[in-house]
């Protein structure tokens, strides 16, 4: 944002996270094509393979996308059912009619920790205290031993409510798989916000976007050379390191090209690079 705002016309409203317009068609088109190298959270191969299938078109689709490609939903066999139901290839069904209000928004597929807690309270009659114990078992330390103990409570509670067989197995599998790793919906929503913001910057301010990525290496999945090649495919021009013109960090030239910074020189220490920058800027 700093790089972008430094080059905006005088009096123009600065770009910030809260001022990025929602529902940008170019952003969602880019996401649906999995053109996401460098985009927060959705640049992995697994996410890239899922994006064209899910075809996110709204912010909540991004919330789902972030939560879907996690060990919990994968082990719990939730990924393909969700994608098939979203595409209309499969019917939306619920493990039990009482769970429809909880799972309707995610097409009958439990994806979020909050849904799992409500399922336990509705299907198995868990008290608030038992639900809190379940939340802690699914929390930071993720105790599989505690989850196995809770599984017995779940099955006993569902049996009392007449939920047995395959329906009970589905509920238990959904809940216990989250011991491996499951997202709270609020966590997924906050990640989705950064997904959208970084995708917006890539779509509309590619030079500044890639310069910022290069300035913050190492990070993400891709080598700096891969980021440069991807940037060039998006029309970004690069100027080489120049001892008289480069700062320590990569920056944007007056003609819009990305000037590679002295930090890109292998083996050059920051202290030395910043001293070169100071001398060049004083002349």
């Amino acid at each position: 944002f700093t790089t972008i705002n430094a080059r905006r016309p005088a009096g123009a409203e600065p770009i910030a996270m809260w001022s990025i317009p929602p529902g940008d068609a170019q952003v969602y088109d880019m996401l649906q094509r999995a053109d996401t190298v460098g985009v927060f959270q959705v640049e992995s191969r697994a996410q890239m393979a899922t994006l064209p299938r899910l075809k996110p078109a709204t912010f909540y689709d991004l919330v789902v996308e972030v939560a879907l490609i996690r060990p919990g939903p994968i082990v719990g066999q939730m990924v393909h059912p969700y994608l098939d139901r979203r595409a209309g290839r499969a019917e939306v069904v619920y493990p039990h009619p009482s769970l429809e209000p909880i799972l309707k928004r995610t097409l009958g597929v439990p994806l979020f920790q909050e849904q799992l807690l409500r399922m336990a309270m509705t299907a198995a009659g868990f008290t608030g205290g038992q639900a809190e114990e379940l939340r802690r078992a699914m929390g930071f330390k993720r105790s599989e031993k505690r989850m196995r103990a809770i599984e017995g409570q779940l099955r006993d509670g569902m049996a009392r409510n007449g939920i047995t067989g395959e329906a009970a197995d589905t509920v238990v599998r959904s809940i216990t798989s989250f011991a491996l790793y499951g997202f709270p919906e609020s966590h997924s929503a906050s990640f989705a916000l950064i997904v959208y913001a970084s995708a917006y910057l890539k779509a509309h301010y590619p030079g500044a976007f890639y310069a910022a990525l290069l300035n913050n290496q190492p990070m993400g999945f891709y080598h700096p050379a891969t980021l440069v090649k991807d940037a060039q495919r998006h029309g970004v021009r690069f100027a080489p390191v120049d001892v008289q013109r480069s700062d320590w960090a990569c920056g944007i030239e007056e003609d819009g090209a990305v000037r590679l910074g002295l930090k890109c020189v292998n083996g050059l220490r920051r202290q030395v690079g910043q001293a070169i920058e100071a001398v060049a800027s004083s002349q």
Side-chain angles (χ1 to χ4, degrees), residues 220-248:
F221 286 82
Y222 301 100
H223 189 275
T226 302
L227 296 175
V228 169
K229 288 295 184 184
D230 189 68
Q232 289 172 332
R233 284 193 291 271
H234 288 81
V236 177
R237 293 174 294 108
F238 285 85
V241 175
D242 186 320
V243 72
Q244 294 182 309
R245 301 186 64 179
S246 291
D247 294 334
W248 171 249

Side-chain angles (χ1 to χ4, degrees), residues 140-202:
F140 181 71
K141 295 186 179 179
R142 309 190 195 286
S143 170
E144 291 191 38
K145 181 178 179 181
R146 291 172 69 182
M147 287 301 297
R148 285 195 296 270
I150 290 172
E151 179 178 344
Q153 298 176 34
L154 284 169
R155 290 191 180 277
D156 290 344
M158 286 189 290
R160 287 193 294 271
N161 289 332
I163 303 174
T164 58
E166 185 178 348
D169 291 341
T170 300
V171 173
V172 169
R173 183 175 63 246
S174 299
I175 293 175
T176 56
S177 65
F178 267 63
L180 296 172
Y181 198 89
F183 262 12
E185 187 171 12
S186 56
H187 191 165
S188 191
S190 64
F191 271 31
L193 180 61
I194 305 175
V195 171
Y196 182 84
S198 56
Y200 182 88
L201 297 181
K202 178 172 180 173

